[in-house]
Amino acid sequence: MSSPSSSATGQVATKPTSPPPTPPPAPAKGTAAATGPGAGRNAERDAAPRTGPVFAILAVVQATLIFTITLISVPLPDIGREFGLSSAQLVLVNAAYGLPYSGLLLFGGRLADRYRGRPMFVAGLALFGLASATAALAAGFEGLVAVRFAQGVGAALAAPAALAVLRAVFPEPARFGRAMATWGGVSVLGASVGTLTSGAVTTWVSWRWMFAVPVLVSLLGLAAARRLLPAGPAVAVDTSSDRRPGLDPVGAVLATLGISIGSYGLIASGDYGWGTAAVLVPLAVGVVLLGAFFAVERRVRRPLLPPGFALEPRRLVGLVGILLAAAASGLVTFLVSLYLQQQRDWSTLATAGAFVPYTVVLLLTNRAAGPLVGRFGAVKVTVAGLVTGAVGLALLVGITPDSSFVLGLLPGMILLPAGTSFIFSGTAVLTTTNVPPHQVGLAGGVMNTAMELGPTVGLAALMAVAATQPDVVTGYACAFGAAALIYLVAAAAATLAARRAPSESDGAAHGC
């Protein structure tokens, strides 16, 4: 994992280097920093965190939170056979982590803004690690679903808090922008590594060993939290009102239930028809709850999601880009895995190996994306990523039952992750541009929500396109083609929105 190395605010980079540690400020009179040597060392540690190790730890945790979504996707049939599960039960096992994760992210962001990043990061990571250890010992369906749900709750607390901690580590806007340009590619890399390793691990050992990864990462993060992570300010204060952000419990409940229930309806569409009650009822309930959420947000004094926060032009471009990149990544991983195993009779291990080039490209382009954002600006890199991804998806439109992997699939599977890395790096900067300190957790929650809704909303919509064709492989080709077209439309819309918004240089002047 590379540390941030170039300006992400649209200014021309000079010599890309890792940002130097922030010099510690002089301790205020009467503070704990002046009471003794031990307290002084603690204050100095909080004021001047070692940015490289801190960034690496936070990035590994973020990647692991996304990794855990795909952790059991490959061994799911093995779990079904071991526990004797029906198709509907397998859907619930697979979704049990993602539903609370996506639904609670907004509230998790508000908690991070109100109670500081490090305490919420520690609380979320402790719950995530404990649930992961328990999941490895699950004795049946109900227990596995319960602990996967608890994993998702912990992840929803930790993910936005990690971004709040990152903001405390890089308080200067330019350095925070550089950090976000690298941070953007971390999540998609976690999902890809999850698919890759789950196929390999479950070939030789039990699926239960997959949970060792989140357990070990949780222990690492908790061990590092006290020694390396800055505590941040005493409270997160809205300078316009001189108050801490309110919790908005009614909005939190409506958003959590609306996103979770609606997402379940979309997930269920893969196993049930779109006209069935199993899909239509949760979709309708989710839509009603989200409508009530937006109505409530316009009336409360301190809303969970302030009206207009997600609609700022550059932030909206970033959120849409994140959603589309996550959706296309999920689509390719899902359909290519099905194609290789069901149409070409590849083994689980061979299918996992097919994604090695995909993952390598993600690694390489993630290292290059940060400097490119610094040199050309976040919008241009995002648009370039959308166009590159569209070409990669278009190449997959030619898929047939007899397609060669090297000539028929590999070119698209190389271009798409390259585009995806560019999109995530650019949109991570756009999503957090000009966010005040008291809303960094909110920005993290919104950004992660868009990332989680991509594989749910986007994949369900594209699979509906695939279902219009009587032939399975032809349906795959139509889904890839629809995704390519959406990418091109999004690239054009992003270019237009950027022209109407303030210039990136203005954003650099006023802070990321």
Side-chain angles (χ1 to χ4, degrees):
M1 180 66 59
S2 60
S3 59
S5 58
S6 61
S7 173
T9 58
Q11 301 295 319
V12 176
T14 53
K15 181 179 178 183
T17 56
S18 297
T22 306
K29 258 178 125 176
T31 63
T35 61
R41 283 194 297 271
N42 290 337
E44 183 177 341
R45 181 193 66 225
D46 284 344
R50 288 173 279 177
T51 56
V54 170
F55 183 89
I57 290 167
L58 293 176
V60 169
V61 169
Q62 173 67 11
T64 304
L65 299 180
I66 305 300
F67 166 92
T68 306
I69 297 173
T70 59
L71 180 148
I72 62 169
S73 58
V74 174
L76 202 58
D78 294 338
I79 297 173
R81 285 189 291 270
E82 181 175 335
F83 293 153
L85 305 183
S86 66
S87 176
Q89 289 174 319
L90 284 177
V91 170
L92 191 55
V93 169
N94 198 38
Y97 175 82
L99 292 179
Y101 185 19
S102 59
L104 280 167
L105 278 166
L106 287 178
F107 189 56
R110 175 51 55 88
L111 290 174
D113 287 335
R114 182 176 175 85
Y115 298 112
R116 299 185 298 170
R118 190 173 75 179
M120 297 312 304
F121 178 78
V122 169
L125 199 58
L127 176 59
F128 176 75
L130 179 62
S132 299
T134 307
L137 306 174
F141 165 71
E142 294 82 1
L144 184 57
V145 169
V147 292
R148 286 280 287 171
F149 189 92
Q151 275 185 311
V153 174
L157 298 177
L163 190 60
V165 173
L166 192 69
R167 186 67 175 86
V169 174
F170 299 100
E172 298 88 350
R175 297 177 69 210
F176 182 59
R178 291 198 296 271
M180 290 308 300
T182 301
W183 183 265
V186 166
S187 297
V188 68
L189 186 60
S192 299
V193 171
T195 302
L196 184 64
T197 57
S198 61
V201 169
T202 54
T203 299
W204 296 299
V205 295
S206 168
W207 55 269
R208 297 175 184 273
W209 283 99
M210 289 298 300
F211 289 99
V213 175
V215 170
L216 292 175
V217 170
S218 297
L219 292 175
L220 171 67
L222 292 172
R226 183 171 179 80
R227 293 180 59 85
L228 294 177
L229 303 189
V235 291
V237 177
D238 180 353
T239 54
S240 64
S241 63
D242 200 31
R243 293 181 178 179
R244 289 197 293 174
L247 291 181
D248 185 15
V250 175
V253 171
L254 290 172
T256 300
L257 293 178
I259 293 173
S260 300
I261 295 173
S263 296
Y264 177 79
L266 292 170
I267 292 170
S269 67
D271 288 270
Y272 305 97
W274 279 93
T276 62
V279 174
L280 292 179
V281 170
L283 280 179
V285 172
V287 168
V288 170
L289 289 172
L290 288 176
F293 166 71
F294 287 115
V296 167
E297 296 305 276
R298 292 183 175 276
R299 295 177 179 273
V300 297
R301 292 182 59 187
R302 287 179 285 178
L304 182 68
L305 180 63
F309 180 84
L311 299 180
E312 189 276 328
R314 291 183 181 274
R315 188 168 298 124
L316 183 60
V317 168
L319 294 174
V320 171
I322 289 171
L323 189 147
L324 292 179
S329 298
L331 177 74
V332 170
T333 302
F334 182 66
L335 291 188
V336 170
S337 296
L338 286 179
Y339 173 81
L340 292 176
Q341 293 183 71
Q342 296 181 355
Q343 301 295 322
R344 304 302 301 275
D345 294 323
W346 284 33
S347 67
T348 301
L349 182 60
T351 301
F355 285 91
V356 170
Y358 186 97
T359 306
V360 170
V361 172
L362 282 175
L363 279 168
L364 295 177
T365 51
N366 185 43
R367 293 180 64 88
L372 289 175
V373 170
R375 183 172 180 81
F376 299 106
V379 172
K380 290 181 180 178
V381 171
T382 300
V383 171
L386 288 167
V387 173
T388 303
V391 175
L393 289 163
L395 290 175
L396 292 171
V397 173
I399 190 173
T400 68
D402 301 318
S403 291
S404 161
F405 174 75
V406 174
L407 298 178
L409 299 181
L410 190 57
M413 292 178 66
I414 288 177
L415 284 178
L416 179 64
T420 299
S421 285
F422 293 154
I423 294 170
F424 272 114
S425 290
T427 55
V429 175
L430 293 173
T431 306
T432 53
T433 294
N434 293 326
V435 173
H438 72 277
Q439 288 185 330
V440 173
L442 171 63
V446 171
M447 184 170 67
N448 280 278
T449 300
M451 193 180 304
E452 292 309 301
L453 290 180
T456 305
V457 178
L459 183 58
L462 292 169
M463 289 306 295
V465 172
T468 62
Q469 302 300 313
D471 178 70
V472 173
V473 179
T474 303
Y476 293 174
C478 288
F480 290 137
L485 181 60
I486 292 171
Y487 262 46
L488 291 176
V489 172
T495 303
L496 181 61
R499 289 176 179 174
R500 294 183 175 180
S503 68
E504 288 188 71
S505 59
D506 292 337
H510 295 93
C512 288

